[in-house]
């Protein structure tokens, strides 16, 4: 089933890939702030993660509990193949679009 | 990351809140995030607690919050969804039974809806008055005094007592006097109207909230000769002109000759206990009081024309006023005893007693109760259908219940499932009910009100508020109908699934089902029987030999006419179709107990009460009274002249021991008239006749006196064999020619008599309608049961047939049950109904129609016939079917 990938979803997917083993709600939020300079609520991140999981783009596993989190387990996210395919597709579309824009047009503006 | 023990702990309440609303799948994960963040913040010396709260609040978003479906705790949405689905499937699967139930319920619900609207209208009377809880009316009780147990209640009382209360009891906020009998003809330019209304004190608008459209409520009624018209009368008199300040000429009223319009008031709403066309300031009557030491304002025995209303500041006042009134007993000059009491505004319309002197509609509560009771019967009957059919078909549902239970349903859940099913059905029935409601509504509105006083009382309109009641009602009906099936079916044990379904314990309720059917039949029989009996009595009453003839006579009410009556009588007599005319004071036999008085024997030893009528010399002949001795009057008397002769009836002679009719002629009696004793000589004796109506004994002393000009007057015209419509038209044309202001008020004598028993006709119509509903509902139920029984006994029938049973023996076998049920129902219903009809419905009648065997068995026979027809064709079909068709398939 073809699922649409939203802008914020794409961003989160990319972050999950960058964070590798340490991709969970709070770390994603933190990186989002550091790298993309975007501040969002915890709920927004979790909402998107849940949506991505429903679409089948990410998978999650619960980690071992850590003391830092008051004994709560983390939900660690990893990207699935279909997630990667979706990212790739999205990138391809953009690259091809960028390719169609003459350099001049950009320089001009 | 450096590990330091946390020196602060997060506020628990907010975490609990978070855990409550969050999707259970995400709780741990997100909570971890929150705590991690909290830890970092508190290390950095931030207000971590508050920030945590903000974070949690920000989490209140879709996707995080627990969904409403699929989890147990928030609600039972999913469960109900399933119930509705299975209920719908069930209704669809057996369309015949669903249709029977829904139609039956729909029919009886239309009645229930009618009842709801009716009741809400009855109990919302006078709700538009802001001070409705504080307004009381002072009523009067008149006891006839020594030796007489009789008491009359009057909605009126004296101005005197009103003023006494206001003076003696502190806290009476307002006192309003309305004096009745404001009759006048108003005219301006060429326009004139005849109106009736009240003389009202200027507190009218302080007490009541009738809307004044034009004029000042403070001053409208404070000046003498000030008139407030209702919107519609103002329109009739002034058209589109502004009436305020206009002076009108007043005729036919001795108290004032001109008046000024000071206000226009909205027409009194139908839901008002007071109905009037106009208000005239009470001060207008001051002239009447002037010069008389005792006048209507201070005469404690002037109790019969004034409505007195009080506004009490608090409820405690009521007791004070009541106790004061209890201690005020008054003996009027003519004897007896007058006492007063308070009646709250909201009890006026539904007062349980009959009041004299009312100025608006009332509805006796026992009528309301009867109607509620009858509605209940029909509704119950429809509920029984559902209960009955569901129980009979329980077998088919038993497996479903067992499987539900195996998969973990508790008894209460199964119970709910069946309730939901019956509620769903009653909701569908509600739609049918509402449609039927609109069909029967106009019929109901056109019925003469059983406690009719000439006022419209009902609109029977549905508003949103009532739609809410309708829904509640439908839910209620559904619950009642489904209660017993739900209770019994939810009891089914899981084990049923393995054992033979035929052994189902449920069949022990067969006796219960029979009882329900018996009650249903009994109600149908009873209602049909009542309708037949009431109708018979009505026919009896209208055709009763009254002792005088009413044939071809039209009675014309001349009381409102201003034109000289002699002129009108002459003009009427000129109409070629009119054979004769006769003038008299009261119409006999139409329920008016009329004028009464006291008569003493010549030696003044014995006194008796009697009823009288004033007639002219033509009256007795025209009405064919049977004169036993002497003769009718030979001449008329002039105004101011004294009565000399009297014509009496047989009972009069008997009561006063005046001997035989022949002996009585020439004897004299004393009669008190206008305060004077008057000696009268008996000149004629007539046979006893129906004087009031069949509700009163014929054997009451009655006297005829000579017609006096100025007394109440009616004109009887005899039109012979001519067409009554032509005659009426000609009479009306004559009236309109000579007295255009006053509408022609006449009725054919026989119609007038029929009208007297109109209330019973209404009862008959209502009962017939109910009987029709009840019989429809129980016929539907019968049909359902027949179909079911035959369906489930088809195999048995087939085998019997194979073994040689004939059609007739099968018919007997199958209808046996039904016959027994109807007979039992008849045995219960017939005596009960006879008792109720005799003691409740027709108990007012002194003279009763003979009840024949056919009347008694009418209901029984009709139910039996309808039953045999309904069941008959089902049974016949089954008995004629080819047995192999049924047996081959197995």
């Amino acid at each position: 089933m073809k699922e649409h990938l939203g802008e914020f979803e794409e961003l989160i997917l990319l972050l999950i890939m960058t964070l590798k083993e340490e991709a969970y709600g709070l770390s994603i939020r933190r990186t989002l702030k550091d790298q993309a300079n975007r501040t969002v609520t915890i709920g927004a991140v979790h909402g998107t993660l849940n949506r991505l999981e429903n679409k089948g783009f990410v998978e999650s596993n619960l980690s071992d509990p850590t003391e830092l989190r008051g004994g709560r387990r983390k939900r660690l996210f990893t990207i699935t193949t279909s997630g990667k395919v979706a990212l790739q597709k999205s990138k391809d579309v953009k690259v091809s679009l960028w390719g169609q824009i003459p350099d001049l047009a950009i320089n001009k503006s | 990351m450096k590990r330091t023990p946390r020196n602060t702990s997060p506020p628990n309440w907010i975490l609990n809140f978070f855990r409550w609303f969050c999707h259970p799948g995400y709780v741990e994960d997100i909570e971890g995030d929150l705590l991690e963040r909290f830890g970092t913040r508190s290390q950095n010396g931030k207000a971590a607690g508050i920030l945590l709260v903000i974070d949690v609040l920000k989490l209140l978003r879709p996707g995080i919050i627990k969904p409403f479906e699929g989890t147990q705790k928030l609600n039972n949405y999913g469960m109900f969804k399933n119930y509705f689905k299975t209920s719908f499937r069930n209704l669809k699967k057996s369309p015949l039974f669903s249709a029977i139930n829904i139609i039956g319920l729909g029919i009886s619900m239309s009645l229930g809806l009618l009842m709801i609207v009716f009741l809400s209208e009855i109990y919302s009377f006078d709700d538009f008055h802001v001070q409705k809880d504080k307004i009381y009316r002072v009523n009067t009780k008149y006891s006839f005094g020594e030796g007489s147990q009789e008491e009359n209640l009057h909605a009126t009382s004296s101005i005197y007592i009103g003023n006494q209360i206001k003076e003696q009891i502190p806290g009476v906020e307002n006192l309003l006097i309305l004096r009745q009998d404001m009759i006048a003809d108003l005219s301006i330019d060429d326009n004139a109207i005849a109106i009736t209304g009240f003389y009202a004190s200027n507190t009218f608008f302080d007490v009541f909230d009738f809307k004044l459209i034009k004029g000042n409520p403070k001053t409208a009624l404070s000046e003498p000769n000030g008139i407030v018209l209702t919107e519609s009368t103002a329109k009739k008199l002034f058209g589109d002109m502004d009436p305020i300040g206009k002076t009108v000429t007043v005729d036919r009223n001795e108290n004032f000759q001109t008046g000024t319009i000071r206000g226009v008031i909205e027409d009194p709403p139908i839901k008002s206990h007071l109905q009037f066309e106009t208000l005239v300031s009470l001060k207008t009557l001051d002239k009447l009081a002037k010069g008389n030491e005792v006048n209507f304002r201070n005469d404690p025995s002037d109790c019969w024309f004034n409505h007195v209303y009080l506004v009490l500041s608090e409820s405690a006042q009521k007791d004070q006023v009541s106790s004061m009134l209890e201690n005020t007993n008054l003996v009027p000059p003519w004897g007896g005893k007058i006492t007063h009491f308070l009646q709250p505004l909201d009890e006026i319309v539904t007062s349980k007693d009959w009041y004299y002197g009312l100025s608006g509609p009332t509805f006796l509560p026992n009528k309301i109760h009867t109607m509620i009771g009858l509605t209940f019967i029909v509704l119950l009957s429809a509920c029984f259908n559902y209960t009955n059919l569901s129980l009979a078909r329980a077998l088919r549902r038993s497996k479903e219940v067992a499987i539900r239970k195996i998969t973990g349903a508790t008894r209460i859940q199964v119970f709910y499932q069946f309730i939901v099913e019956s509620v769903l059905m009653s909701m569908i029935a509600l739609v049918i009910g509402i449609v039927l409601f609109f069909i029967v509504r106009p019929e109901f509105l056109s019925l003469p009100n059983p406690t009719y006083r000439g006022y419209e009382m009902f609109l029977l309109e549905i508003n949103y508020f009532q739609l809410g009641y309708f829904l509640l009602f439908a839910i209620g009906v559904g619950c009642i109908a489904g209660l017993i099936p739900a209770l019994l079916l939810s009891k089914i044990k899981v084990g049923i699934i393995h054992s033979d379904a035929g052994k189902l314990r449920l069949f022990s309720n067969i006796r219960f089902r029979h009882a329900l059917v018996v009650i249903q039949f009994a109600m149908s029989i009873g209602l049909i029987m009542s309708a037949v009996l009431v109708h018979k009595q009505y026919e009896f009453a209208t055709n009763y030999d009254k002792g005088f003839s009413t044939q071809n006579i039209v009675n014309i009410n001349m009381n409102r006419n201003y034109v000289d009556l002699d002129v009108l009588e002459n003009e009427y007599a000129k109409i070629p179709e009119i054979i004769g005319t006769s003038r008299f004071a009261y119409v006999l036999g139409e329920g008016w107990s009329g004028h009464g008085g006291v008569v003493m024997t010549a030696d003044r030893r014995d006194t008796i009460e009697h009823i009288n009528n004033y007639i002219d010399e033509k009256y007795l002949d025209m009405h064919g009274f049977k004169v036993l001795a002497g003769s009718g009057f030979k001449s008329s008397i002039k105004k101011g002249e004294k009565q000399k002769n009297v014509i009496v009836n047989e009972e009069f002679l008997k009561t006063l021991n005046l001997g035989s009719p022949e002996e009585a002629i020439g004897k004299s009696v004393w009669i008190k008239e206008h305060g004077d004793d008057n000696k009268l000589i008996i000149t004629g004796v007539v046979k006893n006749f129906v004087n009031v109506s069949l509700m009163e004994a014929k054997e009451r002393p009655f006297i005829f006196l000579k017609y006096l000009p100025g007394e109440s007057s009616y004109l009887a015209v005899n039109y012979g064999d001519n067409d009554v419509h032509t005659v009426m038209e000609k009479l009306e044309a004559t009236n309109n020619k000579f007295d255009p202001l006053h509408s022609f008020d006449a009725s054919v004598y026989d119609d007038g008599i029929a009208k007297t028993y109109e209330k019973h006709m209404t009862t008959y119509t209502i009962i017939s309608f109910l009987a029709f509903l009840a019989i429809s509902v129980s016929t539907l139920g019968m049909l359902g049961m027949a179909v079911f029984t035959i369906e489930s006994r088809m195999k048995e029938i087939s085998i019997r047939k194979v073994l040689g049973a004939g059609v007739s023996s099968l018919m007997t076998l199958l209808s046996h049950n039904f016959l027994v049920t109807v007979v039992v129902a008849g045995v219960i219903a017939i005596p009960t109904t006879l008792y109720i009809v005799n003691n409740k419905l027709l108990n007012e009648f002194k003279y009763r129609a003979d009840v024949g065997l056919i009347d008694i068995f009418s209901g029984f026979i009709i139910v039996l016939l309808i039953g045999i027809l309904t069941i008959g064709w089902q049974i016949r079909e089954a008995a004629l079917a080819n047995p192999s068709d049924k047996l081959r398939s197995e």
Side-chain angles (χ1 to χ4, degrees):
Chain A
M1 192 163 92
K2 200 165 177 268
E3 293 280 4
H4 172 73
L5 195 57
E7 186 265 343
F8 190 59
E9 287 172 355
E10 191 179 352
L11 208 55
I12 300 268
L13 270 187
L14 288 168
L15 286 171
I16 290 173
M17 300 245 286
T18 27
L19 283 168
K20 293 190 185 87
E21 312 285 273
E22 267 300 301
Y24 66 98
L26 204 58
S27 68
I28 294 174
R29 188 183 169 277
R30 205 181 298 126
T31 334
L32 195 64
K33 201 177 159 191
D34 296 345
Q35 307 231 349
N37 199 22
R38 275 173 75 158
T39 322
V40 291
T41 62
I42 298 180
V45 176
H46 279 282
T48 315
L49 285 171
N50 294 337
R51 206 155 57 237
L52 285 171
E53 196 170 9
N54 285 340
K55 287 181 180 178
F57 294 151
V58 295
E59 283 170 348
S60 64
N61 299 299
L62 289 174
S63 73
D64 297 330
T66 60
E67 199 190 326
L68 183 65
R69 294 165 61 86
R72 270 77 177 177
R73 290 173 295 177
K74 290 174 191 164
R75 194 144 62 110
L76 295 174
F77 290 88
T78 46
I79 191 155
T80 60
T81 322
S82 68
K84 284 176 187 157
V85 171
L87 268 182
Q88 190 59 48
K89 255 188 199 159
S90 167
K91 188 189 163 193
D92 290 349
V93 170
K94 282 168 188 164
V95 168
S96 107
L97 282 172
W98 276 109
Q100 288 168 43
I101 305 171
D103 289 347
L104 265 179
I106 294 173
N107 292 340
K108 248 188 183 174
S109 61
Chain B
M1 206 175 279
K2 203 175 112 194
R3 254 210 230 164
T4 42
R6 278 177 291 125
N7 46 6
T8 44
S9 57
N12 256 324
W13 62 271
I14 193 71
L15 288 178
N16 282 334
F17 172 62
F18 168 74
R19 284 176 206 133
W20 173 73
F21 75 73
C22 182
H23 191 292
Y26 312 144
V27 172
E28 183 169 4
D29 172 32
I30 301 182
E31 198 179 329
D33 280 6
L34 288 172
L35 289 177
E36 189 180 332
R37 216 170 169 210
F38 177 82
T40 338
R41 277 176 178 155
S42 57
Q43 272 175 15
N44 297 345
K46 287 186 183 167
I50 292 171
L51 289 171
L52 176 69
V53 172
I54 295 172
D55 274 345
V56 168
L57 290 181
K58 278 183 181 166
L59 278 167
L60 282 168
R61 53 182 291 152
I64 304 289
I65 295 178
K66 206 185 274 197
F68 293 113
E69 198 179 343
T71 50
Q72 273 289 321
K73 277 181 189 162
L74 266 185
N75 60 36
N76 299 325
Y77 172 81
M79 193 174 76
F80 278 108
K81 200 167 136 187
N82 175 279
Y83 290 171
F84 274 108
K85 208 178 268 179
T86 40
S87 301
F88 257 119
R89 286 178 187 161
N90 249 313
L91 288 181
K92 257 166 67 186
K93 211 165 82 186
S94 42
L96 177 69
F97 294 97
S98 311
I100 285 175
N101 281 325
I102 288 172
I103 294 172
L105 263 185
I107 290 175
S108 48
M109 264 168 124
S110 65
L111 190 68
L113 300 185
L114 208 63
M115 224 37 230
I116 292 176
V117 180
F118 167 78
L119 286 180
S120 70
E121 282 189 9
I122 269 275
Y123 286 107
S124 63
F125 256 81
D126 293 309
D127 268 0
F128 59 96
H129 301 301
V130 174
Q131 306 182 80
K132 59 177 191 277
D133 300 327
K134 291 154 74 184
I135 302 177
Y136 294 84
R137 185 173 71 190
V138 183
N139 292 334
T140 299
K141 180 156 75 183
Y142 178 66
S143 323
F144 285 82
E146 298 299 311
S148 173
Q149 292 298 313
E150 223 177 317
E151 283 178 345
N152 280 341
L153 296 176
H154 297 259
T156 52
S157 55
S158 59
I159 299 180
Y160 164 83
I161 196 77
N163 287 328
Q164 287 291 311
I165 297 170
K166 183 110 172 53
E167 277 164 29
Q168 290 181 21
I169 312 281
V172 175
E173 285 177 9
N174 254 317
L175 171 69
L176 166 66
I177 311 283
L178 293 176
R179 192 166 169 86
Q180 298 176 334
D181 286 344
M182 208 307 293
I183 300 172
D185 295 344
L186 303 185
S187 56
I188 184 162
D189 304 331
D190 291 338
N191 227 345
I193 48 164
I195 47 164
T196 57
F198 299 114
Y199 298 102
S201 61
N202 61 354
T203 43
F204 185 83
F205 295 103
D206 300 332
V207 175
F208 289 129
D209 290 282
F210 293 104
K211 213 182 277 164
L212 195 65
I213 301 171
K214 285 175 186 157
N216 182 347
K218 293 264 175 296
T219 58
L221 291 166
S222 55
E223 298 293 321
N225 300 7
I227 300 174
V228 173
L229 293 176
T230 56
E231 208 178 349
S232 51
T233 38
K235 187 132 185 115
K236 267 187 234 156
L237 190 57
F238 291 96
D240 296 327
M241 265 198 310
D242 182 14
I244 300 294
K246 294 266 171 15
T247 305
V248 290
T249 316
V250 181
D251 287 314
R252 205 166 53 101
N253 186 306
E254 47 206 25
N255 301 314
F256 60 134
Q257 283 70 47
T258 59
T260 312
I261 310 295
R262 298 240 180 255
V264 175
I265 193 174
E266 222 175 53
D267 287 351
I270 280 185
K271 287 192 210 166
S272 162
H273 80 285
L274 274 179
Q275 297 290 335
F276 51 88
E277 291 172 339
T278 184
L279 298 169
V280 174
S281 71
L282 189 66
K283 284 224 177 77
T284 312
L285 294 178
D286 280 355
K287 270 177 265 169
L288 199 68
K290 211 174 276 175
N292 293 330
E293 203 168 310
V294 177
N295 60 50
F296 73 96
R297 280 191 185 277
N298 59 19
D299 181 2
S301 55
D302 188 321
C303 290
W304 326 112
F305 301 106
N306 314 295
H307 291 304
V308 176
Y309 294 90
L310 298 174
V311 180
L312 302 182
S313 54
E314 48 190 291
S315 59
Q317 233 74 52
K318 193 198 166 192
D319 302 330
Q320 280 183 32
V321 177
S322 297
S323 69
M324 170 197 157
L325 290 178
E326 261 163 39
N327 297 325
T328 325
N329 285 332
L330 183 91
V331 177
W334 57 85
K337 197 174 82 182
I338 290 173
T339 45
H340 299 286
F341 58 97
L342 290 184
Q343 187 176 36
L345 185 67
D346 59 350
E347 285 173 18
I348 288 180
V349 170
T350 51
S351 153
K352 69 177 196 303
D353 300 304
W354 177 262
Y355 283 84
Y356 289 90
L358 283 163
S359 307
T362 56
F363 207 95
L364 297 176
N366 62 352
K367 295 268 181 239
I368 301 177
H369 297 155
T370 319
M371 288 171 82
I372 296 178
L374 289 172
T375 311
F376 213 67
I377 288 181
V378 175
L379 262 176
L380 266 187
S381 186
C383 289
F384 283 177
N385 269 358
Y386 181 81
T387 308
N388 234 333
L389 287 176
S390 309
L391 286 182
R393 290 158 41 77
L395 196 63
R396 306 186 172 205
R397 303 294 296 275
S398 58
K399 282 218 169 97
E400 179 196 334
V401 173
I403 287 177
R404 270 180 189 278
K405 285 202 166 172
I406 286 170
T407 46
T410 58
R411 183 173 175 197
I412 199 82
Q413 282 168 330
V414 175
F415 175 81
Y416 280 143
Q417 187 212 332
F418 283 101
I419 291 286
V420 165
E421 196 171 317
S422 61
V423 168
L424 184 76
M425 187 201 59
S426 82
M427 288 291 177
I428 302 174
L430 178 67
V431 178
I432 296 181
I434 291 180
V435 172
L436 283 177
F437 170 84
F438 282 108
I439 296 173
V440 291
R441 176 173 169 264
E443 304 296 319
F444 254 81
L445 282 178
S446 65
L447 278 183
N449 184 335
T451 47
Y452 193 57
R453 292 190 197 255
Y455 302 98
E456 278 185 35
M457 281 186 82
F458 302 108
L459 296 168
L460 298 183
E461 277 170 353
I462 298 184
N463 52 33
Y464 292 112
F465 206 57
Q466 277 151 350
L467 277 182
Y469 280 134
F470 285 2
L471 276 181
L472 281 182
F473 170 70
I475 293 173
V477 168
C479 289
I480 293 174
L483 181 68
I484 289 170
L487 273 178
L488 292 177
L489 282 167
S490 62
K491 230 159 75 177
I492 289 176
K493 296 262 164 35
V494 175
I496 195 77
I497 206 161
H498 307 298
S499 62
D500 177 14
K503 278 188 207 153
L504 192 55
R505 283 275 298 152
L506 268 180
F507 276 89
S508 63
N509 64 43
I510 205 150
R511 202 166 281 170
F512 171 72
R513 270 176 27 220
H514 277 316
L516 289 188
V517 175
V518 166
I519 296 174
Q520 247 186 359
F521 283 167
M523 289 189 297
S524 300
I525 293 174
L527 284 169
I528 295 173
M529 212 175 123
S530 316
V532 168
L533 292 177
V534 171
H535 187 251
K536 186 155 192 187
Q537 179 66 25
Y538 176 78
E539 290 290 324
F540 172 80
T542 44
N543 295 324
Y544 191 79
D545 178 16
K546 287 167 279 292
F548 57 91
S549 159
T550 55
Q551 218 182 353
N552 301 339
I553 292 176
V554 170
N555 290 318
I556 308 170
N557 184 351
M558 312 282 271
N559 282 316
R560 280 181 65 147
N561 289 66
Y562 188 56
V563 173
D564 190 351
L565 296 189
D566 294 335
V567 175
L568 263 181
E569 185 174 353
N570 276 331
E571 290 301 327
Y572 285 143
K574 277 185 202 157
I575 299 172
E577 282 87 351
I578 303 296
I579 296 173
T581 60
S582 162
R583 227 179 291 170
F584 61 99
Y586 308 107
V587 182
L588 295 179
E590 290 192 358
W592 166 247
S593 62
H595 225 242
V598 183
V599 168
M600 281 180 292
T601 44
D603 52 11
R604 297 184 179 248
R605 265 225 318 264
D606 290 321
T607 309
I608 57 159
E609 286 174 19
H610 66 86
I611 324 175
N612 62 15
N613 197 359
Y614 296 84
I615 57 172
D616 67 3
E617 60 275 18
K618 292 171 282 186
Y619 187 85
L620 290 185
D621 278 346
M622 186 166 159
H623 291 85
F625 281 91
K626 195 158 195 284
V627 181
L628 298 174
S631 65
F633 295 128
K634 295 278 186 262
S635 60
S636 53
I637 54 169
K638 306 207 168 39
K639 201 162 188 172
E641 208 178 318
K642 283 203 162 177
Q643 300 273 4
K644 289 198 187 72
N645 301 321
V646 63
I647 297 170
V648 303
N649 67 351
E650 288 172 291
E651 186 63 21
F652 184 90
L653 300 183
K654 205 172 140 197
T655 324
L656 281 183
N657 291 322
L658 293 176
S660 73
E662 286 75 18
E663 290 164 8
I665 300 293
K667 285 188 178 167
S668 57
V669 288
W670 290 94
I671 179 167
K672 199 172 243 174
E673 202 190 14
H674 300 299
D676 299 330
D677 275 354
N678 206 349
K679 193 174 186 181
L680 298 176
I681 296 164
I682 297 173
T683 54
V685 178
V686 292
K687 207 168 167 2
N688 285 341
F689 54 92
V690 176
N691 41 51
V692 178
S693 69
L694 289 188
M695 292 154 211
E696 308 267 347
K698 281 190 281 189
E699 290 78 22
R700 279 175 77 168
F702 195 98
I703 64 170
F704 285 116
L705 294 166
K706 279 185 184 171
Y707 176 79
L708 274 175
E711 283 283 344
S712 161
S713 47
Y714 277 86
L715 188 70
V717 300
N718 188 336
Y719 56 87
D721 295 329
N722 294 303
D723 176 50
V724 64
H725 295 287
T726 336
V727 172
M728 286 296 252
E729 270 166 31
K730 289 194 174 178
L731 287 171
E732 185 161 9
T734 311
N735 175 78
N736 292 350
K737 194 167 150 201
F738 290 89
D739 191 7
L741 197 50
H742 300 103
S743 55
F744 180 62
D745 176 13
S747 60
V748 179
Y749 209 155
D750 286 332
D751 293 350
I753 301 265
K755 214 172 154 122
T756 315
Y757 308 107
E758 163 173 271
K759 163 175 140 183
H760 298 93
M761 200 56 204
T762 302
T763 314
Y764 164 71
T765 319
I766 291 177
I767 292 182
S768 320
F769 176 64
L770 288 173
F772 173 73
L773 291 188
I775 191 90
S776 318
V777 168
S778 44
T779 307
L780 281 174
M782 224 154 31
L783 181 69
M785 282 310 286
V787 171
F788 171 76
T789 326
I790 286 164
E791 218 172 84
S792 50
R793 288 175 78 177
M794 205 55 216
K795 216 179 277 174
E796 179 200 332
I797 295 170
S798 305
I799 291 172
R800 278 178 191 271
K801 238 190 141 176
V802 169
L803 293 179
V807 174
S808 61
S809 70
L810 279 176
M811 299 268 273
T812 327
L813 171 83
L814 290 171
S815 54
H816 167 80
N817 245 342
F818 163 74
L819 291 176
V820 171
T821 321
V822 175
V823 169
V824 174
V827 168
I828 298 171
I830 291 174
T832 324
T833 314
L834 267 183
Y835 177 82
I836 292 175
V837 169
N838 283 337
N839 293 292
K840 298 276 173 209
L841 285 176
L842 300 177
N843 54 334
E844 294 158 307
F845 279 98
K846 182 90 184 168
Y847 300 95
R848 297 277 284 274
D850 293 325
V851 176
L853 269 184
I854 293 181
D855 305 319
I856 290 181
F857 285 104
S858 55
F860 179 73
I861 292 165
I862 290 173
V863 169
L864 196 65
L865 278 180
I866 293 180
I868 287 174
L869 285 178
T870 327
I871 292 189
W873 63 269
Q874 288 292 328
I875 293 180
R876 212 180 99 86
E877 217 142 273
L880 288 179
N882 186 352
S884 63
D885 285 347
K886 207 69 217 172
L887 294 174
R888 193 193 296 144
S889 56
E890 249 170 81

